[in-house]
């Protein structure tokens, strides 16, 4: 065994023992931080002059200098966090985050970078704030009476990271496979309305693939440069897969952008039922992971820890596809959405346009409010907007209905 | 929920952190431990090489053909002096299974030492790609004396343009898959400084991708000089597009016959070209320019990566040796339709491409004809192969024009074993 190593000199990367013979690599994506520290900060500091993302706004040369010698216990470095933001300057109108976490500890080790980004992205959330988690579906009021003539479908999704494994930007094949193995065990233990089947991307038959595409369940190898530059498509499709229950109302993605993405959905407007299934299913899955001493990554400050800072807190997007042809052309539509703390998307997902007056309406917040609170906003907000739509159909004014800022 | 976690995050005590994570002792042992070797050992126990061995069953590239669990187990935990790993070398080959008909290489070097530290995998890959060249026993000849070329001026009724390209790496700096921003900027500085010292027909100007004006950009596109951010997954999966366009640029001489790409797929790509069929002059300029650039960097204490076994060291094993592709755009309307065309090219050790470059189709009857080989023969030998081969092809074309028959030539021996 190598001798004890105090690691006080940043140039002596603690990952390696002293003698050349015993040098060994930890399986991280980027293991050469100790080597890079030989170079001056001015030379390593990225050129962010053309950039418009959260990371670029926050990362001064001073912060870069302070954090560049640090590594998380698994060897994830500052450069690893920010590579995606350096490679993708961003869009003048869309503000992307521009950095990712490689493991649970990233948010702590690189606090000086993540805290201001989190504050910027999540409405001023402070480093001392506490996030409330509430997955008690019984706390949701109403939500079972959204008019199905307008609300075509309801859906709640979130992500979960498994403790003890590094995240998609940096995990090794061995780790990814271990996450898959645990996930399969957890999911196969489900019964009743949750009973289902796992489809690994690697071994899918053509027939299975066609069915999953027809059901709109299949996820593809990422093409977005935001994800590719963060290293998330490595070794595709190894250890990636889709699980869904026989009823096709509960779906789990394994090893896509997060360890797990969990989705509950159904046609019509019964968000209450969707949310109940979501909460119950999540709890059952978590119990199995906990049994193996690999619970979900969570803490009091950030809630559920996920790869992208934008998904911290609840990681929850609860939404509906709803017909609002008249309301969506009303002058105050955007204002109403903002006040209700909701956002709109086209029915093809983020950044698509609406088709036939049908919009995807979902909660805008993720961190600083609980799951119940966020889904409540969706339920109450959509109910109000459907009533507004009906009023507009009758030629009546909706001015009196416009809500105060929530 | 792990509500004790918040307390732990502020206290940072190793033991508490390990316990609160709720993971097994071995799993968390690797997370925080002052003893680096113990940490590494625990991690290795948790994830032996077999746990990380890539699934290569659907793969058809040189790396997948040579990789075995035994080789992987032996090399997985090794690092080069610049901390580059095996997994980083092969990532591009794991991510890109390849095409059933085109065999890609499937791995890259992160630095000069990669070829040594990971020789167990690089050597068979090199052997596969370079017709049995064995780096353990063979030596690669380097010869940049253009005066040795004979018959190097082609009939311009057939040859439209002539071109020679290669790459050069700056010793002491890591290669595009691995380099940090400061190293890449240093490559740019070293090269641009050297190029500024070129005189006469070689004097020219540098256009940095970050500072280029719109006008300059358009002009470089019109001249077909501008290179774009790589889109090929073969390159992006090998980490070569990081930090684009930082420290990337194009240099060319005023006459537009000598062009250098900086920090694209290699530290430098060097191109000599001109319209018409004077391959000898193109190669003469190529050699002269390369030697002058080498001299200029040596004045400042730098040198190119080169060794006796592998010749010039470049990012992709396919470009080892000379890294040289010498070629012409040549019209062969009759010969290209002859069923013996492919065989003739094979025996002459030439390859055809469309005039848009690799994997493009030919337009009309004009082909890009160049040498197949890179390693095991010198620059002079390879250019002579192209000269002799293209002259032969033109002869065939002329004979076919006159209604005479043509012969498939005897195959050229590749290298002396």
């Amino acid at each position: 065994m190598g001798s004890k190593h105090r690691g006080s000199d940043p140039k002596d990367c603690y990952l390696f023992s002293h003698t050349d013979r015993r040098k060994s690599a930890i399986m991280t994506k980027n293991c050469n931080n100790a080597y890079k520290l030989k170079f001056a900060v001015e030379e390593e500091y990225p050129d962010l002059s053309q950039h418009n993302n959260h990371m670029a706004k926050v990362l001064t040369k001073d912060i870069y200098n302070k954090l560049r010698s640090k590594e998380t216990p698994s060897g994830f470095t500052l450069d690893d966090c920010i590579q995606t933001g350096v490679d993708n300057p961003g869009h003048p109108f869309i503000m992307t985050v521009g950095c990712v976490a490689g493991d649970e500890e990233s948010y702590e080790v690189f606090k000086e970078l993540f805290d201001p980004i989190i504050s910027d992205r999540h409405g001023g959330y402070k480093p001392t704030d506490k996030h409330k988690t509430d997955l008690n579906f019984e706390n949701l009021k109403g939500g079972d009476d959204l008019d199905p003539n307008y609300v075509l479908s309801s859906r709640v999704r979130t992500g979960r990271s498994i403790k003890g494994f590094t995240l998609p930007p940096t995990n090794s094949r061995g780790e990814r496979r271990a996450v898959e193995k645990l996930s399969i065990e957890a999911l196969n233990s489900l019964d009743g309305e949750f009973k289902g089947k796992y489809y690994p991307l690697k071994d899918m038959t053509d027939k299975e693939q066609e069915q999953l595409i027809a059901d709109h369940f299949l996820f593809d190898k990422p093409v977005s440069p935001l994800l590719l530059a963060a290293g998330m498509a490595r070794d595709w499709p190894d250890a990636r897969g889709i699980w869904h229950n026989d009823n096709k109302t509960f779906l789990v993605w394994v090893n896509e952008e997060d360890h797990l993405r969990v989705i509950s959905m159904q046609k019509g407007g019964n968000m209450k039922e969707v949310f109940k299934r979501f909460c119950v299913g999540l709890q059952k899955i978590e119990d199995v992971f906990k049994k193996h001493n690999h619970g979900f990554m969570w803490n009091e400050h950030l809630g559920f820890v996920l790869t992208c800072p934008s998904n911290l807190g609840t990681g929850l997007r609860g939404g509906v596809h709803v017909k609002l042809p008249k309301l969506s052309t009303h002058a105050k539509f955007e204002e109403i959405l903002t006040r209700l703390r909701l956002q709109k998307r086209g029915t093809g997902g983020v950044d698509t346009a609406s088709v036939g007056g049908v919009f995807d309406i979902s909660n805008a917040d993720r961190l600083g409010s609980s799951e119940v609170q966020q889904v409540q906003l969706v339920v109450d907000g959509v109910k109000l907007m459907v009533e507004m739509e009906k009023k507009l159909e009758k030629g009546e004014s909706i001015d009196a209905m416009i809500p105060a800022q929530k | 929920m792990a509500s004790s976690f918040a307390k732990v995050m502020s206290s940072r005590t190793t033991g508490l952190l390990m316990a609160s994570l709720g993971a097994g002792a071995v799993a968390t042992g690797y997370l925080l431990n002052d003893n680096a070797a113990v940490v590494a050992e625990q991690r290795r126990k948790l994830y032996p090489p077999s746990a990380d061995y890539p699934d290569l069953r659907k793969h058809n590239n040189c790396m997948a053909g040579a990789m075995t669990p035994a080789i992987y187990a032996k090399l997985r935990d090794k690092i080069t002096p610049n901390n580059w790993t095996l997994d980083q070398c092969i990532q591009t080959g794991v991510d890109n299974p390849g095409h059933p008909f085109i065999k890609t290489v499937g791995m890259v070097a992160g630095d000069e030492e990669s070829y040594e530290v990971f020789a167990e995998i690089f050597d068979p890959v090199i052997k596969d790609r370079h017709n049995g060249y064995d780096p353990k026993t063979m030596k690669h000849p380097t010869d940049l004396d253009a005066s040795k070329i004979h018959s190097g001026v082609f009939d311009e009724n057939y040859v439209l343009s002539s071109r020679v390209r290669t790459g050069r790496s700056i010793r002491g700096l890591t290669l595009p898959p691995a380099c940090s921003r400061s190293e890449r900027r240093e490559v740019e500085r070293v090269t641009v400084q050297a190029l500024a010292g070129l005189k006469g027909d070689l004097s020219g100007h540098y256009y940095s991708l970050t500072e280029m004006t719109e006008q300059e950009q358009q002009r470089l596109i019109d001249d077909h000089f501008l290179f774009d951010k790589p889109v090929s997954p073969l390159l992006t999966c090998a980490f070569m597009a990081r930090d684009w366009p930082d420290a990337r640029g194009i240099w060319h001489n005023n006459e537009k016959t000598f062009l250098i790409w900086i920090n694209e797929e290699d530290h430098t790509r060097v191109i000599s070209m001109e319209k018409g069929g004077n391959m000898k002059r193109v190669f003469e300029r190529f050699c002269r320019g390369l030697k002058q650039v080498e001299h200029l960097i040596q004045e400042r204490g730098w040198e190119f990566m080169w060794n006796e076994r592998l010749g010039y060291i470049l990012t992709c094993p396919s470009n080892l040796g000379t890294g040289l592709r010498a070629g012409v755009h040549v019209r062969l309307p009759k010969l290209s339709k002859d069923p013996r065309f492919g065989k003739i090219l094979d025996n002459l050790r030439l390859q055809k491409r469309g005039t848009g470059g690799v994997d493009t189709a030919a337009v009309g009857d004009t082909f890009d004809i160049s040498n197949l080989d890179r390693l095991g023969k010198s620059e002079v030998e390879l250019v002579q192969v192209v000269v002799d081969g293209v002259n032969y092809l033109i002869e065939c074309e002329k004979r076919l024009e006159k209604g005479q028959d043509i012969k498939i030539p005897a195959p050229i021996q590749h290298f002396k074993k």
Side-chain angles (χ1 to χ4, degrees):
Chain A
M1 290 298 222
S3 55
K4 284 221 185 298
H5 175 68
R6 285 299 131 203
S8 56
D9 185 337
K11 286 195 289 296
D12 292 341
C13 178
Y14 83 97
L15 291 171
F16 312 115
S17 65
H18 290 285
T19 58
D20 278 345
R21 265 184 312 119
R22 298 262 323 145
K23 269 192 179 168
S24 69
I26 302 280
M27 287 97 45
T28 54
K29 186 175 77 127
N30 187 338
C31 202
N32 62 353
N33 203 49
Y35 168 72
K36 276 192 277 193
L37 291 172
K38 288 193 279 187
F39 302 100
V41 62
E42 285 75 24
E43 287 311 312
E44 282 295 345
Y45 182 67
D47 178 355
L48 299 172
S49 52
Q50 305 299 315
H51 290 58
N52 183 45
N53 56 50
H54 286 293
M55 179 278 292
K57 277 174 69 178
V58 158
L59 188 69
T60 61
K61 200 184 285 188
D62 276 342
I63 294 179
Y64 185 81
N65 195 25
K66 190 166 179 201
L67 297 178
R68 67 188 288 235
S69 57
K70 294 193 177 184
E71 295 185 23
T72 68
S74 69
F76 203 66
T77 67
L78 176 67
D79 277 339
D80 292 331
C81 287
I82 66 172
Q83 191 67 60
T84 180
V86 175
D87 289 347
N88 296 292
H91 193 277
F93 307 136
I94 300 167
M95 188 76 147
T96 47
V97 174
C99 63
V100 292
D103 49 22
E104 195 164 12
E105 296 84 356
S106 298
Y107 288 106
E108 184 63 26
V109 173
F110 304 112
K111 270 179 86 56
E112 275 97 333
L113 172 72
F114 280 108
D115 282 352
I117 290 174
I118 288 168
S119 172
D120 214 357
R121 182 68 176 207
H122 294 285
Y125 195 77
K126 296 190 290 297
T128 49
D129 283 339
K130 300 264 185 285
H131 170 82
K132 182 164 183 276
T133 292
D134 182 0
L135 281 159
N136 191 340
F137 60 88
E138 280 165 359
N139 291 340
L140 183 72
K141 301 197 224 346
D144 53 355
D145 58 352
L146 296 175
D147 189 337
N149 290 314
Y150 293 83
V151 179
L152 308 177
S153 60
S154 309
R155 179 187 188 266
V156 180
R157 69 87 160 152
T158 190
R160 291 290 185 264
S161 307
I162 316 301
K163 252 203 223 316
F165 300 104
T166 58
L167 298 172
T170 196
N171 55 9
S172 65
R173 284 180 291 273
E175 286 189 285
R176 212 184 288 113
R177 291 163 181 171
V179 165
E180 186 192 35
K181 189 154 176 249
L182 276 174
S183 303
I184 292 173
E185 189 188 315
L187 295 166
N188 281 344
S189 75
L190 299 176
D191 59 6
E193 68 158 326
F194 292 103
K195 189 162 172 306
K197 187 173 165 188
Y198 182 68
Y199 302 88
L201 252 58
K202 240 184 345 173
D203 299 326
M204 207 172 274
T205 65
D206 280 345
K207 196 156 168 250
E208 287 171 337
Q209 188 171 310
E210 274 162 32
Q211 185 60 54
L212 287 165
I213 291 173
D215 288 331
H216 304 287
F217 285 173
L218 191 62
F219 62 89
D220 253 325
K221 179 170 180 174
V223 292
S224 164
L226 301 175
L227 298 183
L228 296 178
M232 298 205 230
R234 288 171 304 122
D235 313 314
W236 203 275
D238 197 313
R240 272 84 168 190
I242 289 162
W243 181 96
H244 71 78
N245 66 349
D246 297 336
N247 298 342
K248 298 187 181 177
T249 53
F250 194 68
L251 165 69
V252 178
W253 289 353
V254 178
N255 286 319
E256 194 234 10
E257 188 181 330
D258 281 294
H259 286 164
L260 301 176
R261 283 286 176 98
V262 180
I263 303 151
S264 168
M265 64 213 175
Q266 63 194 56
K267 291 239 177 288
N270 196 339
M271 182 60 97
K272 195 181 186 71
E273 205 167 76
V274 169
F275 187 55
K276 177 179 176 184
R277 186 185 310 115
F278 176 81
C279 295
V280 172
L282 268 175
Q283 188 61 59
K284 285 181 191 271
I285 296 169
E286 184 170 14
D287 287 342
V288 178
F289 278 102
K290 270 190 175 152
K291 249 194 354 220
H292 289 278
N293 288 330
H294 282 288
F296 294 149
M297 288 184 197
W298 180 94
N299 68 56
E300 246 185 6
H301 167 52
L302 295 177
F304 288 103
V305 177
L306 294 174
T307 305
C308 181
S310 69
N311 282 321
L312 290 166
T314 60
L316 186 142
R317 195 170 90 82
V320 298
H321 283 187
V322 57
K323 279 197 277 204
L324 299 170
K326 289 194 153 28
L327 182 60
S328 59
T329 54
H330 192 282
K332 292 241 165 74
F333 185 45
E334 298 288 343
E335 173 78 21
I336 292 167
L337 286 172
T338 305
R339 290 190 186 193
L340 291 174
R341 308 197 71 80
L342 299 174
Q343 66 172 199
K344 75 177 196 300
R345 300 179 182 191
T347 52
V350 64
D351 296 332
T352 62
S354 130
V355 172
V358 180
F359 286 83
D360 176 315
I361 303 289
S362 64
N363 55 299
D365 306 316
R366 304 273 185 274
L367 178 64
S369 53
S370 75
E371 288 82 353
V372 166
Q373 285 169 323
Q374 288 167 9
V375 176
Q376 193 70 63
L377 284 170
V378 174
V379 159
D380 296 344
V382 169
K383 192 162 183 194
L384 177 64
M385 290 198 291
V386 168
E387 279 164 28
M388 286 177 167
E389 181 71 19
K390 288 175 175 170
K391 264 253 177 348
L392 290 171
E393 279 171 18
K394 288 189 248 169
E396 294 167 12
S397 157
I398 57 164
D399 289 345
M401 297 169 78
I402 298 199
Q405 176 67 54
K406 291 208 176 287
Chain B
M1 294 300 164
S3 53
S4 60
F5 199 90
K7 191 166 92 178
V8 165
M9 288 303 259
S10 52
S11 76
R12 290 181 180 275
T13 307
T14 308
L16 263 179
L17 184 64
M18 280 167 64
S20 75
L21 286 170
V26 175
T28 48
Y30 83 89
L31 289 176
L32 285 178
N33 193 311
D34 283 343
N35 188 323
V38 173
V39 166
E41 195 57 39
Q42 283 174 339
R43 177 87 188 216
R44 270 196 298 277
K45 278 203 190 104
L46 201 58
Y47 298 104
S50 55
D52 281 327
Y53 189 71
D55 183 349
L56 300 172
R57 288 172 296 164
K58 297 208 170 92
H59 289 57
N60 182 43
N61 55 51
C62 297
M63 181 279 293
M67 183 61 78
T68 65
I71 293 177
Y72 187 78
K74 197 161 175 198
L75 299 180
R76 186 196 66 168
D77 294 334
K78 288 196 173 174
I79 50 168
T80 69
N82 304 308
N83 306 359
W84 189 248
T85 66
L86 174 70
D87 277 333
Q88 286 168 318
C89 285
I90 67 173
Q91 190 68 62
T92 181
V94 175
D95 289 347
N96 296 291
H99 193 277
F101 306 137
I102 300 167
K103 199 165 186 192
T104 46
V105 175
M107 65 187 305
V108 292
D111 52 15
E112 190 165 6
E113 294 85 350
S114 295
Y115 288 107
E116 293 302 324
V117 175
F118 306 116
E120 255 118 324
I121 183 70
F122 271 111
D123 284 356
V125 165
I126 289 167
K127 216 168 175 181
D128 188 8
R129 181 62 176 211
H130 296 283
N131 313 112
Y133 185 88
D134 186 352
K136 284 196 276 290
T137 57
M138 295 175 174
K139 287 207 190 1
H140 169 82
T142 291
D143 187 354
L144 285 159
D145 182 356
S147 68
K148 293 179 183 164
I149 300 295
H150 58 83
S151 318
V153 182
F154 302 119
D155 185 337
E156 294 190 355
N157 290 313
Y158 299 88
V159 173
L160 310 175
S161 61
S162 308
R163 181 184 187 266
V164 180
R165 70 87 159 151
T166 189
R168 290 289 185 265
S169 309
I170 311 292
R171 177 163 280 159
L173 297 167
T174 60
L175 298 171
C179 65
S180 68
R181 281 180 290 274
S182 61
E183 288 186 285
R184 207 184 290 113
R185 291 166 182 174
E186 185 74 344
V187 168
E188 186 187 37
R189 252 197 307 274
V190 169
T191 310
V192 170
Q193 209 171 46
L195 294 168
L198 293 176
K199 299 190 185 357
D201 69 317
L202 292 178
S203 75
H205 190 83
Y206 179 63
Y207 303 90
S208 137
L209 251 59
T210 51
E211 284 158 20
M212 206 175 275
T213 66
E214 293 246 346
Q215 217 183 5
E216 287 169 338
Q217 186 174 311
Q218 192 54 52
R219 209 253 310 149
L220 288 164
I221 290 172
D222 295 337
D223 285 330
H224 304 287
F225 285 175
L226 190 65
F227 62 87
D228 253 322
K229 179 171 180 176
V231 292
S232 164
L234 301 176
L235 297 182
T236 55
C237 293
F239 323 114
M240 296 205 231
R242 288 172 303 125
D243 313 313
W244 203 275
D246 197 313
R248 271 81 170 193
I250 289 161
W251 181 99
H252 70 79
N253 66 348
N254 299 326
E255 295 181 9
K256 300 185 184 178
T257 54
F258 194 61
L259 165 69
I260 317 270
W261 289 352
I262 294 178
N263 286 317
E264 193 235 9
E265 188 183 329
D266 279 294
H267 283 172
T268 66
R269 283 288 177 95
V270 180
I271 302 152
S272 170
M273 63 212 178
E274 58 185 67
K275 291 243 180 287
N278 198 335
M279 178 60 92
K280 186 171 166 102
R281 186 166 62 203
V282 166
F283 186 53
E284 182 275 326
R285 185 187 315 113
F286 176 82
C287 295
R288 185 162 47 90
L290 272 174
K291 287 203 202 98
Q292 286 188 21
V293 170
E294 184 165 21
H295 180 72
L296 286 160
I297 66 166
Q298 279 169 344
E299 277 181 350
R300 291 194 156 76
W302 297 94
E303 55 181 4
F304 292 142
M305 289 184 196
W306 178 93
N307 69 50
E308 250 185 358
R309 296 187 318 131
L310 297 175
Y312 287 102
I313 304 296
L314 294 173
T315 306
C316 181
S318 69
N319 281 320
L320 289 167
T322 61
L324 185 140
R325 192 170 95 82
V328 298
H329 283 186
V330 57
R331 287 188 327 102
L332 298 168
K334 289 190 154 36
L335 180 60
S336 59
K337 294 185 184 56
D338 192 296
R340 295 165 285 185
F341 185 41
K343 186 73 180 148
I344 292 173
L345 288 173
D346 281 347
N347 285 6
L348 292 173
R349 300 211 64 79
L350 296 175
Q351 66 173 193
K352 76 178 197 296
R353 300 179 181 190
T355 52
V358 63
D359 295 334
T360 61
V363 170
D365 306 307
T366 308
F367 290 84
D368 177 316
I369 303 287
S370 64
N371 54 297
L372 261 175
D373 305 313
R374 306 268 184 274
L375 175 64
K377 266 193 170 140
S378 74
E379 289 82 352
V380 164
E381 286 174 301
L382 289 175
V383 172
Q384 194 63 59
V385 162
V386 172
V387 163
D388 294 344
V390 169
N391 278 328
Y392 190 89
L393 294 174
I394 294 171
E395 264 313 300
C396 289
E397 184 68 23
K398 285 175 173 171
R399 288 178 72 87
L400 289 172
E401 279 171 16
K402 290 185 228 157
Q404 295 168 348
D405 198 19
I406 57 172
K407 275 210 316 227
I408 298 175
I412 295 174
Q413 187 193 35
H414 174 46
F415 48 74
K416 306 161 191 57
K417 293 204 181 194

